[in-house]
Amino acid sequence: MQLKLREDFQRDIDGIREDLVSINERLLPLGKWLENIDGHTGRMAVTLEKQMDAQDQIMERLYEQERKIQELESNSTFKKEKLRVKGAIFISVISLLGAGSGVVVIFGKRLAELLFGN
């Protein structure tokens, strides 16, 4: 009876040993795999952080360039408006001179008589 119990226990122990070997064969690679995932995840976090920093720098540069472009456009618009005003003034002066000379031609003789007498 003891021998039979001993054999049963031995079979149970051998079965448990085989199960442990099988578990170790399956879990050890899984553990290594999980360690690799952990390492890769850490590196991905660092990479994403670097990428976000680079993206922030690029966005800052783009914002600065956009601001400079808007500044140049407003200066250009101001210069165009200033040139337009100068042109209008020049045309007005020419028109006045032209109108003035026309008045002198038409009324010159009478105007001279009125101002300076006969």
Side-chain angles (χ1 to χ4, degrees), residues 34-98:
L34 290 174
E35 285 176 5
N36 288 338
I37 288 176
D38 182 45
H40 290 300
T41 304
R43 285 187 292 220
M44 281 179 62
V46 169
T47 302
L48 287 174
E49 224 173 273
K50 288 179 182 177
Q51 182 180 3
M52 290 296 290
D53 289 343
Q55 187 177 4
D56 287 344
Q57 289 175 354
I58 289 170
M59 291 304 290
E60 191 174 309
R61 285 185 204 148
L62 286 175
Y63 172 75
E64 186 65 28
Q65 287 177 354
E66 182 67 27
R67 191 184 61 74
K68 286 180 181 179
I69 288 170
Q70 288 177 354
E71 186 178 310
L72 288 173
E73 284 176 349
S74 72
N75 286 344
S76 175
T77 304
F78 177 73
K79 287 178 183 176
K80 285 179 185 176
E81 204 55 43
K82 190 176 176 182
L83 186 62
R84 194 174 295 143
V85 168
K86 284 182 179 180
I89 290 172
F90 183 69
I91 289 172
S92 298
V93 168
I94 290 175
S95 297
L96 283 175
L97 290 176

Side-chain angles (χ1 to χ4, degrees), residues 110-118:
R110 289 188 189 141
L111 191 59
E113 288 175 1
L114 180 68
L115 292 174
F116 302 111
N118 272 346

